[in-house]
Amino acid sequence: MRHLQTTKRLLLTAALAAALPFGMAASASAAGTLTLSSPQDPGSWDPIDTFLVNWSSVATNVYEGLVYRTPDLKIVPALATSWEVLDEGKRLRFKLRDGVTFHNGEPFTAEAVKFTFDRLLGEEGKKGPQRSNYAVIDRVNVIDDHTVDLVLKQPDPVLITKLAGYGAMIVPPKYTAEHDEAYVNAHPVGTGPFRMTAYDPKVSVTLEPFADYWDGAPALDKVTYRFIAEPATAVAELQAGRVDVVIPPTIPISMVDTIKADANLNLVSVTSPTVYALRFNTRDGITADPRVRKAMIMAVDRGTIIDAILGGQAKQIASFQSELSFGYDPNMKPLPFDQAKAKELLKEAGVKPGAEVQIDIRGNDATFAEVSQAVASYLGMVGINATIKPYETNVLLNDIIPQGKTGAMFQQKWGGWTLDYDNTAYLMYHTGERWNPYDSDPKLDALLERQRSMTDPAAREKVLHGIAAYAADRALEMPLFNLNEIYGVSKRVKGFVAPPDNRIRLTGVTVE
């Protein structure tokens, strides 16, 4: 049994052992305990409240949707056993799994599906960031206990994928209705293979196997997610054996070789949908001028940043999406690194040497802090003085960006969780969206709305290519790179599959 380092943890272990039924204590060994390091506490576990990948890293084990996307990015049945598309794409009929219960004992039926989407699309859903992803749903009709129809306002070619994540996670009607918002946020109940048994905000989450899980209880005795914001601390805990898995994006590129050299650890690097950009304040200051925005992009050698800072663990991007995204155009090329042209554009726009800009970033992202310093240095070479302002991640994402309080540029990291450019482009560029606090472009709005109802994949892909080209021509962001997901994993861990979208599923994992 792995030695526990502190009195607090010893007492906790003793308390858990005492709580087990007679005869079970001997079988609950530390070999069945998995500890993961996550860089961020999402702050709420309610599916309608979140957009954070680190929420999904935990909640994929607690909640389920009608469908599930596997680590190899295939959509498979989950709480629905099958589905069919009816009425030329305006109605989806789902056959639901029988014999499923929520963690609190409530039965899963079609009424739970209806309650979930009525809530998401109603007043409670208005408070969170997920509602717009599912706004195409007009209503949910219960056919019988195990059959439900989603009636759509118009066809949505991405909806099935959206049903695999975030806001579409099915919640128990009675439990959710009986408790207030704060309680539901901190005490999630789903149908997943694990149930949450403890939550210490900004410290940790504890999961235990759900014995009545419809697909069989997982092998692990317990799972602990520790919220460790400081990357060096997370890696040190991994090396010391107090953490078994470090979840991206925690591992600094500078520590990749250290992990590779450790005989007790594996470094797992996979292509991901996650892209990074510095988006522009297109409303205020010098970045309101597209010539200035293009100049700033051309001033920065993104290829050298990838090689020198990211150790080749990334690819340069021309639009704000990865090659895994439907709508990715392999023929689209980034603006070239050309500081002479950048200076010419700045002069044409009337920007004098010494102009100042602020770059807002996440304070706990050590690797991106290095990237932003490099960006600032390149901008200095063309006469723009850039200062970097780090924020606590939740503050930046929940206050500074949505409220339009950023500097000239701000860090945007986006996973594109549907693996479809719509999920990125609509939320980033459409007027009034949370991640678009500054810009309004009727032409772009029309393109974004048009593709949402198209059912011909080839025609829709062409429109998405046009959206990417149009956004690039307007220079709405400085596209930087598609960074691999890099996991640090103890060799004690068996059966762990590193998903490209960070949605970790732990049902097949064991610990030696």
Side-chain angles (χ1 to χ4, degrees):
M1 184 173 182
R2 189 172 60 190
H3 179 62
L4 303 179
Q5 299 297 312
T6 66
T7 301
K8 180 178 179 182
R9 290 174 71 186
L10 285 167
L11 290 173
L12 177 60
T13 302
L16 287 169
L20 291 170
F22 180 75
M24 287 183 64
S27 66
S29 68
T33 297
L34 181 74
T35 302
L36 304 94
S37 168
S38 177
Q40 182 183 12
D41 178 356
S44 170
W45 297 105
D46 189 333
I48 65 174
D49 283 348
T50 191
F51 50 83
L52 298 172
V53 171
N54 292 120
W55 179 90
S56 192
S57 297
V58 177
T60 295
N61 297 286
V62 176
Y63 291 109
E64 292 176 301
L66 296 174
V67 297
Y68 169 62
R69 189 170 71 209
T70 63
D72 61 357
L73 308 180
K74 295 178 181 176
I75 299 294
V76 299
L79 292 178
T81 57
S82 64
W83 58 92
E84 56 182 326
V85 180
L86 305 169
D87 299 343
E88 297 181 333
K90 294 187 71 173
R91 182 160 58 99
L92 304 178
R93 172 161 291 184
F94 293 88
K95 293 292 184 180
L96 305 181
R97 197 173 296 278
D98 196 5
V100 177
T101 58
F102 289 96
H103 300 154
N104 68 332
E106 278 187 63
F108 164 72
T109 67
E111 288 295 342
V113 178
K114 179 174 173 56
F115 175 86
T116 294
F117 287 101
D118 286 351
R119 178 174 181 259
L120 172 63
L121 300 171
E123 290 303 310
E124 285 191 78
K126 283 183 180 178
K127 304 173 187 177
Q130 284 297 327
R131 188 182 183 194
S132 65
N133 283 321
Y134 305 92
V136 73
I137 300 173
D138 181 61
R139 64 187 183 277
V140 178
N141 291 340
V142 173
I143 308 304
D144 57 44
D145 276 356
H146 296 99
T147 310
V148 66
D149 283 357
L150 269 57
V151 180
L152 311 184
K153 299 171 186 175
Q154 62 187 32
D156 182 348
V158 195
L159 184 60
I160 291 293
T161 301
K162 292 176 183 176
L163 295 177
Y166 295 92
M169 298 294 96
I170 307 301
V171 299
K174 186 172 183 292
Y175 174 87
T176 307
E178 286 180 350
H179 293 92
D180 63 25
E181 182 179 349
Y183 190 87
V184 171
N185 287 349
H187 301 84
V189 170
T191 62
F194 291 87
R195 58 192 181 92
M196 190 176 291
T197 56
Y199 171 42
D200 188 354
K202 297 188 177 181
V203 178
S204 66
V205 156
T206 301
L207 308 182
E208 294 182 7
F210 180 40
D212 295 327
Y213 181 55
W214 59 267
D215 200 26
L220 290 166
D221 298 315
K222 185 173 74 170
V223 175
T224 300
Y225 287 80
R226 293 173 55 194
F227 301 120
I228 304 176
E230 175 54 48
T233 302
V235 174
E237 291 294 276
L238 177 69
Q239 292 178 301
R242 291 185 287 269
V243 162
D244 301 306
V245 179
V246 174
I247 299 171
T250 308
I251 296 174
I253 298 296
S254 60
M255 300 196 74
V256 164
D257 288 341
T258 300
I259 294 173
K260 285 182 177 179
D262 192 317
N264 297 315
L265 305 177
N266 285 322
L267 186 95
V268 183
S269 180
V270 294
T271 298
S272 84
T274 303
V275 287
Y276 287 73
L278 283 170
R279 302 195 66 217
F280 290 109
N281 178 342
T282 60
R283 183 189 66 195
D284 309 312
I286 64 172
T287 51
D289 190 325
R291 295 171 297 182
V292 175
R293 301 195 295 266
K294 287 184 178 180
M296 293 173 74
I297 296 170
M298 297 177 79
V300 177
D301 188 345
R302 284 91 70 203
T304 294
I305 287 175
I306 289 170
D307 292 338
I309 298 177
L310 304 180
Q313 295 279 345
K315 302 179 186 73
Q316 192 171 345
I317 55 174
S319 61
F320 199 36
Q321 59 183 319
S322 82
E323 62 187 37
L324 299 178
S325 168
F326 181 81
Y328 173 80
D329 184 354
N331 297 314
M332 189 172 169
K333 304 302 179 186
L335 281 174
F337 171 54
D338 187 340
Q339 290 194 332
K341 180 64 175 177
K343 290 178 181 178
E344 180 183 318
L345 286 171
L346 291 172
K347 184 177 180 180
E348 181 183 317
V351 176
K352 296 180 180 179
E356 296 187 355
V357 297
Q358 178 179 298
I359 303 174
D360 297 340
I361 66 170
R362 301 185 187 194
N364 70 337
D365 190 336
T367 299
F368 198 83
E370 290 186 61
V371 170
S372 60
Q373 290 286 356
V375 169
S377 295
Y378 279 117
L379 292 177
M381 295 176 190
V382 297
I384 295 177
N385 294 334
T387 57
I388 298 166
K389 186 170 184 178
Y391 285 93
E392 195 275 328
T393 298
N394 284 342
V395 172
L396 181 65
L397 298 183
N398 293 318
D399 180 28
I400 302 301
I401 297 174
Q403 299 301 320
K405 299 190 291 188
T406 73
M409 306 175 78
F410 54 95
Q411 177 187 358
Q412 191 87 60
K413 170 194 170 188
W414 198 252
W417 65 274
T418 63
L419 303 183
D420 189 293
Y421 187 45
D422 166 80
N423 178 251
T424 301
Y426 198 97
L427 299 180
M428 297 296 154
Y429 307 139
H430 194 278
T431 300
E433 285 295 323
R434 176 188 182 93
W435 303 114
N436 181 24
Y438 301 117
D439 203 62
S440 180
D441 185 328
K443 179 178 178 180
L444 193 48
D445 286 350
L447 287 169
L448 290 163
E449 291 160 9
R450 179 185 168 204
Q451 60 83 29
R452 281 203 153 182
S453 62
M454 297 177 71
T455 56
D456 181 337
R460 181 169 171 269
E461 186 175 41
K462 186 176 180 180
V463 174
L464 291 174
H465 287 177
I467 290 170
Y470 185 76
D473 185 61
R474 289 200 56 216
L476 296 178
E477 64 260 323
M478 179 187 292
L480 292 171
F481 48 81
N482 168 210
L483 184 65
N484 286 358
E485 295 287 17
I486 304 172
Y487 295 81
V489 184
S490 168
K491 290 184 178 179
R492 298 173 58 245
V493 179
K494 305 300 179 184
F496 178 81
V497 178
D501 58 2
N502 224 328
R503 298 166 70 187
I504 299 167
R505 187 80 161 178
L506 298 173
T507 47
V509 176
T510 59
V511 182
E512 292 183 348

